[in-house]
Amino acid sequence: MPTFAEVFPSNDPVARFVVAMSIARNDIRHALKQAGAANDLDSPDFTYWIRVASGHFFEAEGALREWRKVDEVRRFIEKLPSDGKDALGKVCSAVQKMGPGALEHVRERTFHYPSPVSRYRLDEELAEALRALSDEEVGLVEADGFVRWCFADDVALVLAYDKHDPARLREQSEIARDGAVGFVNFAQGAMEAYFGAHGLPALFD
């Protein structure tokens, strides 16, 4: 196997870009895989993995946006095959469809828990979420050897996606999922192009 120095020289911005996208790709892909498995099993942790994937996607898209300002990276992306560019288009489209600040909102509400003192006013949002769910049943279910408090998942989903109309929860989560899938495919295409340009063997699954 080649060394890091041979494959990803630290002074090459394109190499650093590809590695950064690869880190994000691994995290997003894992979360999406877990979400898919949970969905197939009708498991209550489906919404958790969707929130995690959306949070990683927000961070990944932000990093990608900054990398695209680097001349060498921009030229590299311009030379990607059409499928890589199409995947990039899906990333950008998802962000636009979600609306300004929506993905950031999901990320903050996924990785910050409500408390009385928070710069995100999460305690007030928690009260609003509880009011929105006031007529819903409080659910519990045994899963993976323990009782999952589904009511907490319901509240977490409302907190994460209440940047827009709560009636659009599923639509918003599907848009974020599609964007995350697009990012995984974009990162895959970038890696393949990078390896191909350097005459390196493919290391893909």
Side-chain angles (χ1 to χ4, degrees):
M1 293 291 290
T3 66
F4 268 83
E6 293 170 324
V7 180
F8 302 115
S10 60
N11 62 347
D12 181 355
V14 176
R16 298 196 304 273
F17 162 72
V18 168
V19 172
M21 297 299 97
S22 298
I23 295 169
R25 174 261 191 190
N26 281 354
D27 290 344
I28 295 171
R29 185 174 182 271
H30 177 69
L32 288 172
K33 182 178 180 181
Q34 295 300 318
N39 188 49
D40 290 343
L41 297 172
D42 198 24
S43 173
D45 60 354
F46 168 73
T47 59
Y48 166 75
W49 287 112
I50 285 295
R51 289 189 293 118
V52 169
S54 297
H56 285 313
F57 175 48
F58 167 75
E59 294 292 345
E61 190 277 331
L64 171 58
R65 195 173 347 108
E66 293 302 318
W67 276 111
R68 293 178 71 185
K69 298 175 183 177
V70 177
D71 289 340
E72 295 92 334
V73 172
R74 187 173 63 253
R75 288 194 294 269
F76 171 77
I77 291 174
E78 288 172 354
K79 295 178 182 177
L80 289 179
S82 59
D83 55 348
K85 292 177 181 176
D86 289 345
L88 178 58
K90 291 179 181 177
V91 171
C92 299
S93 174
V95 173
Q96 292 171 356
K97 288 178 182 176
M98 288 288 288
L103 274 174
E104 181 177 10
H105 184 95
V106 175
R107 190 275 311 270
E108 298 298 350
R109 276 70 185 170
T110 295
F111 297 108
H112 294 87
Y113 299 110
S115 67
V117 179
S118 168
R119 67 188 178 109
Y120 302 109
R121 60 177 290 276
L122 292 183
D123 188 38
E124 294 93 331
E125 290 182 14
L126 174 58
E128 292 168 7
L130 292 175
R131 285 192 290 273
L133 293 167
S134 60
D135 294 331
E136 302 293 327
E137 293 184 0
V138 172
L140 305 169
V141 65
E142 186 170 349
D144 301 323
F146 76 103
V147 175
R148 187 165 185 97
W149 300 334
C150 299
F151 66 86
D153 293 322
D154 294 340
V155 174
L157 192 64
V158 170
L159 287 172
Y161 284 97
D162 75 349
K163 184 74 175 176
H164 295 288
D165 183 350
R168 296 183 64 205
L169 282 175
R170 178 163 291 279
E171 178 189 357
Q172 290 293 320
S173 63
E174 289 175 354
I175 291 170
R177 178 205 60 203
D178 292 346
V181 170
F183 184 91
V184 169
N185 292 335
F186 167 75
Q188 189 84 10
M191 176 63 81
E192 291 174 358
Y194 180 83
F195 271 51
H198 290 77
L200 297 166
L203 297 176
F204 320 116
D205 54 17

